[in-house]
Amino acid sequence: IGQIEDFVARKVDAIVVCPADSRGIGPGIRKANEAAIPVFTADIAAQEGDVVCHIASDNVAGGRLAGEYLARALQGKGRIAIINHPAVTSVLDRVQGFKEAIAKHPGIVIVADVGGQGVRDKALQAATDVLQANPKLDGIFGINDDSALGALDAVQQFKRSGIIIIGYDATPPAADAIRKGTALKADVVQYPDKIGTTTIKKIKEHFSGMQIPKTEPVEVGIVDKQALDAITNK
């Protein structure tokens, strides 16, 4: 919010915000609104304030990809958990898409949906509690790679075999874990460079007087060991 106030004082022409707290950033965005400075959000949406356009990965679609992959890997049956972080709008979208995909498979039951705050140590703690409460767990969806890697840490500490973990972001540590054949089997991949270029494009269109949508989704994909090995061998 202090940074936005500084931008307002400098009378910039537009502000791009990537909120760490979707709700908490509202007062800052409203300050820009009062100064008639257009605000665009990238990657993570704001829940309050007037935003011209939100540009981000299609997180609902990404969640569906994760759910579909896990459902195939489990052959439509099993007990699964979600390591969540509902304070962030993009995470809510990911979990929505994931649950939509899982709902198509009545043989799969979500037995736990717990908060890991999107950081590895908290996710480790959350996953530990889930594993202790569910001795027959088959799968875990981590809403980002810190969540997935924290879950992986817990699975390895408990020496639990057969659990399939799906992550989100395809960061280098997660990609390494997938290549090594750990319980982390796949990761939804985003294209942040495209989010950035699309954001600049929408700002230009706005200043050109064009009508632009309130949201602009950017495609996502999913990678597993086979896909990562193919990229490495190119």
Side-chain angles (χ1 to χ4, degrees):
I1 291 173
Q3 292 166 341
I4 293 175
E5 289 173 341
D6 178 54
F7 294 152
V8 170
R10 289 160 57 184
K11 299 181 180 179
V12 300
D13 295 303
I15 299 174
V16 179
V17 185
C18 306
D21 183 337
S22 296
R23 186 178 297 278
I25 199 63
I29 293 176
R30 284 195 291 272
K31 286 181 183 294
N33 296 156
E34 291 165 4
I37 297 173
V39 177
F40 298 76
T41 50
D43 188 35
I44 297 173
Q47 293 180 1
E48 297 179 7
D50 183 20
V51 173
V52 176
C53 183
H54 173 58
I55 303 94
S57 296
D58 189 336
N59 282 293
V60 175
R64 288 195 197 103
L65 287 175
E68 290 162 0
Y69 191 100
L70 183 57
R72 286 195 303 271
L74 294 176
Q75 298 181 333
K77 292 185 287 186
R79 295 160 59 86
I80 65 172
I82 300 170
I83 308 297
N84 208 334
H85 183 36
V88 176
T89 302
S90 58
V91 172
L92 294 174
D93 290 343
R94 293 171 193 181
V95 173
Q96 175 192 329
F98 179 80
K99 288 182 175 179
E100 286 176 1
I102 293 299
K104 296 178 181 178
H105 302 272
I108 299 178
V109 180
I110 299 173
V111 297
D113 184 345
V114 298
Q117 298 182 31
V119 293
R120 190 165 179 167
D121 60 340
K122 298 293 185 183
L124 166 60
Q125 183 179 345
T128 295
D129 293 342
V130 170
L131 290 172
Q132 288 176 329
N134 298 277
K136 293 185 178 181
L137 195 68
D138 300 295
I140 299 173
F141 172 50
I143 54 82
N144 66 358
D145 278 340
D146 273 353
S147 301
L149 291 167
L152 177 62
D153 293 338
V155 167
Q156 291 175 336
Q157 286 181 16
F158 276 78
K159 297 181 179 178
R160 294 277 287 272
S161 61
I163 294 178
I164 296 170
I165 302 171
I166 309 298
Y168 204 111
D169 286 332
T171 60
D176 288 344
I178 293 170
R179 287 190 184 97
K180 290 175 182 175
T182 69
L184 180 54
K185 299 300 183 187
D187 231 300
V188 177
V189 58
Q190 303 188 77
Y191 303 105
D193 55 346
K194 190 168 183 180
I195 293 173
T197 54
T198 302
T199 300
I200 297 300
K201 180 182 177 183
K202 292 301 158 186
I203 292 172
K204 180 186 177 187
E205 290 175 356
H206 173 72
F207 286 140
S208 298
M210 296 174 61
Q211 284 290 109
I212 61 174
K214 294 295 286 184
T215 59
E216 184 71 18
V218 176
E219 66 179 340
V220 294
I222 193 163
V223 292
D224 55 12
K225 188 178 188 304
Q226 182 179 0
L228 289 170
D229 287 347
I231 294 169
T232 302
N233 294 330
K234 276 188 176 180

